[in-house]
Amino acid sequence: MKKKIGLIVNPVAGMGGRVGLKGSDGKKIHKMALALGAVPVSPKRTCEALNVLSGIQTKIELFTYPAEMGQDEAVLCGLSPNVIGSIQKGKTTPGDTIKAARDLEKTGVDLLVFTGGDGTARNIYDAVSDRLTVIGIPGGVKIHSGVYAANPVKAARLIIDFVTSPSKIALQTAEVMDIDEEMVRQDKVSAKLYGYMKIPYERGLNQSSKAGSNPKDEMFQDEIALDVIHNMDPKVIYLVSAGTTTKAIMDKLKLEGTLLGIDAVKNKQLISADLNESAILQLLAREPETPFNIITTVIGRQGYIFGRGNQQISPAVIRRVGKENVIVIATINKILSLNQEPFLVDTGDPELDKELEGYIRVTTGFGKQHIYNVSS
Amino acid sequence: MKGIKLKKYHAPKYDEPLIMEIGVDGRRGIMVPQVDKEIDDTVGTLEDLIPAKSQRKKAPALPEIDQYHTLMHFLRLSQMTLGMETGIDIGEGTCTMKYSPKVNEELVRSPQMAEVHPLQPEKTLQGILEIAYELRNYLKAISGMDEFCFQTGGGAHATYINACITRKYFQERGELGTRNEVITTQFTHPCNAATPSTAGFRVIILPHKNGYPDLDALKSVVSERTAAIHMTNPEDTGLYNPVVDEFTKAVHDAGGLCFYDQANANGIMSVARAREAGFDACHFNLHKTFSSPHGCEGPAAGAYGCTEALAAYLPVPVVTKLSDAYHLDFDRPKSIGKVRSFYGNLPAVLRAYAWIRSMGPKGIKTTAEISILNNQYLEHLLSQIDGISYPYAEGKPRFEQIRYSMAKLKEETGLGSHEIQNRIVDFGIQSYWLSHHPYVVPEPFTPEPCETYSKEDIEYWATAIEQACKEARETPEIIESAPHNQAIHQIKDFSQAEDADRWAITWRAYKKKTKK
């Protein structure tokens, strides 16, 4: 049976970059970009991926939105897409991306492919949450989200494997991140973790008996959670940071933790969920005698352990808890996705960032830690 | 490569059932004669000899099949299988797949070896004990260690023994409560992380810096919690850690022990010794470096060696020599105990002894040198193939193997190391190994052209890789659907290997799961 592939192109993604606008979100900025002579980037990036797909044309059924939102790119690359929905040509908005994602979900696509940047990923996430398997073709100015392949050709390879060799593929969760573009234009970075979507990745399956198949990412998360729980001290309050790796701890403890928030756990019980900075500081003030630990994880492909997706854990919080009481956990796949680049910290306090630099222990499995370098 | 013609090869293929599915009720291979009455009267009946609790109530469900059809069945299976001596087995890196002289097979099949019984009195085992004792002496000279034992059944087993000895050592000193961490490196063989973990230690894995283990990371992590470091050198990247003595010093300064995994010893024998690098213990794989044949996961033998300070903890028995007689010494109160039945894999010990004797000290050094030379020649050939590279430490020499990457080929064609692996067997080559997990080097493969391969063999192997990479670009469908010349083709649905409801490793489980 043919696999149904959905395609959404955000035709204006990537326009702000070359003209120095740090993003293209918002009508005014888009107009400014056009005035500065920006040219669309995402159609070209989409075609770089679609051209590789021509070989599996007969094995897929492609569904997309009209004109520049996918139809034009597909036809240009010699594909014959089923076109659904309607748009106002040349005047597409984030609302169209959201509508397209919802419509494509209704057609029952097996995989949703989209081109854009962090804003586009957010729109897709708003529309379909983590219900669909997705893969992003990087076409935007800002790419902080882990849902994007490293380049269009790599996205296409994943699509091909997804269609032709599904057993080579496993799913993992990847971050939908976005930074406030207005803040960036003022040279202040304030990235937020919006959620997680499922993306395919190649597992490296092997028939050799000498080193069999690589375990799935979720098995590592499970092992890490077991380790953290095994070493929990009933006297300590654990501030569990955002992410799927940390969430696995809450799941294992059968606690209603939050995926994107900071939760406090003591004696394997949830004492408070989704704390913001002031709530954490209040908790710390209320418990002056209690030792605290922070459990944080790394943002895939970015490397941040503090300052992205967990700004609630502010410099004041880290100083009060003490850097020696920070437990960093990460799956080995996440660590390898950094290509040797160090973990990063950007707490907003350069002095604290310096103090957090150096080698740290990262829990990567049960009774297993990797040593990794932190840089600011 | 010019002038090299790849072999035309096709594996025979039989639609062969499982042995449990063949046979006819009541058919026998051998009619076992009745026991003589005299023996029966002296020894007693089988029922008398086997405790009632251990006696089966029902006969086992074995296939009922005669000799001829049993032989036919297994010969067919063997014909469908490639072997290291039907092709050029350079691909199985870190396994040191060297050719093993057949004269040594005659030795192990001689009655003096083949008919040795594990319960024979020690004084009737003097020959093989002398051989074990002499092998101990040779390995002492090669490594600088003070004592050796041959109890372990393989390399990972030897690594595990080290973890057990480390545990016992610190237990005796009352330090086990605090010393609960064993350090290893990213490119050290993974059994060095797994076995201390099994022995109850927490495991710390050091990152690498441009391919070399990161000394600063080690210094940041050694403490009063450090029990030991387990490391390979050279690692599977082929890079020899030039400051290995600083690693052992940092661990010793913190009060820990140092273990050297010498599975990759082929390029350093008689060149560098574990003792001088500061190690307290090491192991060799007799089935790799010392030419006891292996493959199909056995029969292996790990030789575990240590310094005088750790010798008391060795597993029993240890072969000793007292006033011209050889003994199996079980009286070692601090020993970690038994780790294997009887005396270890003695045929592997005999083969290693015979190989060392035939090579001599100069021959062993030549072995190391040629294995490095061969590797550098293969590197020269593979480097000319578009799409292949190897990362880290550019310009630094590699030892006996290299971990290459097909990342560029994958990027450009969508076909990478897994796909090439499927194709290589079509050229009559049994193995092409990628890497241990995790794949730090993307799209990896790890050939090791041991000293026994000729220049032409190396050229043949490189030509096979070159041909497969060419096909990936020009006729990708050949690679995608490979292997073509094998008895078994691609496993279409790999997920069944991970689904406990769909795989079975015993006939009984198979029947249960398929409801036959």
Side-chain angles (χ1 to χ4, degrees), chain A residues 50-128:
Chain A
L50 295 184
N51 281 331
V52 181
L53 290 190
S54 57
I56 58 159
Q57 243 191 97
T58 55
K59 293 177 183 161
I60 58 171
E61 229 181 317
L62 188 66
F63 291 85
T64 188
Y65 243 45
E68 70 261 35
M69 279 193 72
Q71 182 185 16
D72 291 353
E73 290 84 355
V75 171
L76 189 69
C77 299
L79 301 170
S80 331
N82 302 298
V83 182
I84 61 170
S86 61
I87 58 164
Q88 265 194 293
K89 260 186 97 169
K91 289 180 180 169
T92 55
T93 66
D96 290 310
T97 304
I98 294 174
K99 202 154 71 65
R102 287 192 180 137
D103 288 348
L104 288 168
E105 186 186 18
K106 277 184 217 147
T107 66
V109 293
D110 299 295
L111 175 70
L112 178 59
V113 182
F114 57 88
T115 314
D118 286 331
T120 316
R122 262 179 74 188
N123 295 150
I124 304 278
Y125 177 71
D126 287 343
V128 298

Side-chain angles (χ1 to χ4, degrees), chain B residues 504-515:
Chain B
I505 52 171
T506 66
W507 177 246
R508 194 186 292 173
Y510 171 73
K511 279 203 296 191
K512 208 157 86 186
K513 286 174 183 177
T514 54
K515 295 197 175 62

Side-chain angles (χ1 to χ4, degrees), chain A residues 151 154 157 167-168 202-206 209-210 212 214 227 231 340 359 361 367-371, chain B residues 93-95 181 202-205 207-208 214 220-221 297 410-414 418-419 437 439 494 498:
Chain A
N151 60 48
K154 284 198 171 157
R157 303 274 188 233
S167 69
K168 280 189 191 170
E202 208 181 313
R203 287 189 55 203
L205 289 172
N206 200 334
S209 55
K210 183 160 167 162
N214 202 14
D227 182 270
N231 290 303
Q340 300 266 352
Y359 292 100
R361 294 166 175 243
K368 190 158 88 182
Q369 294 180 317
H370 277 70
I371 306 301
Chain B
T94 87
C95 266
E181 292 181 350
R202 288 183 70 79
V203 174
I204 315 288
I205 298 162
H208 68 93
D214 187 339
S220 81
V221 84
E297 315 309 319
K410 173 88 177 178
E411 177 87 26
E412 289 166 359
T413 67
H418 285 99
E419 289 77 16
H437 290 293
Y439 288 177
F494 221 109
E498 297 181 311

